[in-house]
Amino acid sequence: MAIHPDRQQAMARREQLILDTARDLIQREGLLTLQMSRLARACGLAVGTLYLHFDTKEDLLLALATGNAESRLGLFARAAAWNGPSRERLLAVAVADTLALEQAPELFRLHQYVLTEVVWNAASLRQRQRMLDATAPIQSLLDGIVARAIADGDLPDTHGMAARELVLGAWCQCLGMHTLAHAEGLLDSHEVRQPYRLLFKQLNLLLNGYGWLPLMAPVEDAAVAAQVERLCRHVFDLPLPFCVAHARRLAPDSRPATEASR
């Protein structure tokens, strides 16, 4: 039976209220404190009403992450559309990832959380597909960067990999570093005190290994920090003080290990 348009609109408004309220609770109180009963009270709804929109809490989390992916698309699109070398356009996508983290850390961590096996596998196939559909444009942007690199001769050898396989290595590096960096004290115990400086260093080494031109040699801390500062300014039009501050977080840490890990 068809649903009346007025009822459809009311349900859409209510679903948006649920998502907005859940997003606000996560930003104020943290991701793991989110409870369906607490969310229902904050929305002024019965708990059963929430489950009319989301079969499980995991579906709700994926819906939130889907909206977050859509909001991040603008940053990634700027990186992909920038009129610079294809290699730096790909690195600009990684910079966009770190900027998204700074803008909304709790929502960024939500995106990391929903990709864990325990959440992803518990969500419905319908909600998983929604998230895949939302992230498909980002993958298309990355495919376009690889295609341009091949056409321009920046990537003379794809090593038998498709475009999506080529960028998977960089994605794994970013995803893995985010996971490790947000586990408090984990990297400190290994005396890794500036994970994102190390991430961009490793990304450049990976692209060097692909033979993606122009090669960075040598891959030094100062050169990596300068690269990030330049991308912040030229790609994202950010104020110079912010760009310098962002790059400094990637610079070498000269403090003794005991002090740096406090």
Side-chain angles (χ1 to χ4, degrees), residues 3 17 44 55 57 62 64 90 99 109 111 118 127 135 138 141 149 165 172 202 225-226 229 244 246 251:
I3 300 176
L17 169 65
D55 294 340
K57 180 179 175 180
L62 253 69
L64 285 167
L90 184 63
L99 293 175
R109 291 176 187 127
H111 188 81
V118 66
Q127 195 61 56
T135 56
I138 297 175
L141 293 174
E165 294 171 329
C172 288
Q202 291 172 337
E229 179 187 332
V244 172
H246 194 70

Side-chain angles (χ1 to χ4, degrees), residues 36-190:
M36 296 297 267
S37 57
R38 167 82 172 88
L39 175 59
R41 287 195 301 272
C43 293
L45 300 171
V47 175
T49 304
L50 263 61
Y51 287 107
L52 292 176
H53 292 269
F54 304 101
D55 294 340
T56 63
K57 180 179 175 180
E58 288 78 14
D59 269 18
L60 170 64
L61 293 175
L62 253 69
L64 285 167
T66 297
N68 188 36
E70 291 168 345
S71 68
R72 290 162 60 194
L73 178 59
L75 281 172
F76 294 142
R78 289 189 72 166
W82 179 55
N83 187 25
S86 59
R87 173 176 172 137
E88 292 216 332
R89 287 167 64 197
L90 184 63
L91 290 167
V93 173
V95 173
D97 213 27
T98 63
L99 293 175
L101 169 58
E102 291 193 355
Q103 289 174 0
E106 289 300 329
L107 295 180
F108 188 91
R109 291 176 187 127
L110 168 67
H111 188 81
Q112 305 301 114
Y113 182 58
V114 300
L115 294 181
T116 61
E117 180 182 358
V118 66
V119 178
W120 183 263
N121 289 354
S124 67
L125 291 175
R126 177 178 58 86
Q127 195 61 56
R128 286 191 230 169
Q129 189 59 51
R130 282 185 178 180
M131 185 165 177
L132 292 173
D133 291 343
T135 56
I138 297 175
Q139 183 61 64
S140 295
L141 293 174
L142 295 172
D143 289 346
I145 292 174
V146 175
R148 178 66 181 271
I150 295 170
D152 290 348
D154 295 339
L155 190 59
D157 185 358
T158 62
H159 306 278
M161 291 186 286
R164 298 190 175 189
E165 294 171 329
L166 273 167
V167 297
L168 184 61
W171 181 26
C172 288
Q173 283 186 316
C174 292
L175 184 63
M177 191 61 79
H178 289 314
T179 300
L180 295 174
H182 296 156
E184 185 176 353
L186 178 59
L187 291 181
D188 281 343
S189 70
H190 294 280

Side-chain angles (χ1 to χ4, degrees), residues 209-235:
Y210 286 166
W212 198 320
L213 303 174
L215 302 180
M216 177 183 279
V219 182
E220 296 179 333
D221 295 315
V224 169
Q227 180 185 64
V228 172
E229 179 187 332
R230 183 174 66 255
L231 292 173
C232 283
R233 287 190 289 116
H234 293 172
V235 180

Side-chain angles (χ1 to χ4, degrees), residues 194-214:
Q194 291 188 300
Y196 288 104
R197 183 262 299 171
L198 185 58
L199 170 63
F200 279 93
K201 196 170 185 176
Q202 291 172 337
L203 287 171
N204 274 293
L205 289 168
L206 174 69
L207 298 183
N208 278 358
Y210 286 166
W212 198 320
L213 303 174

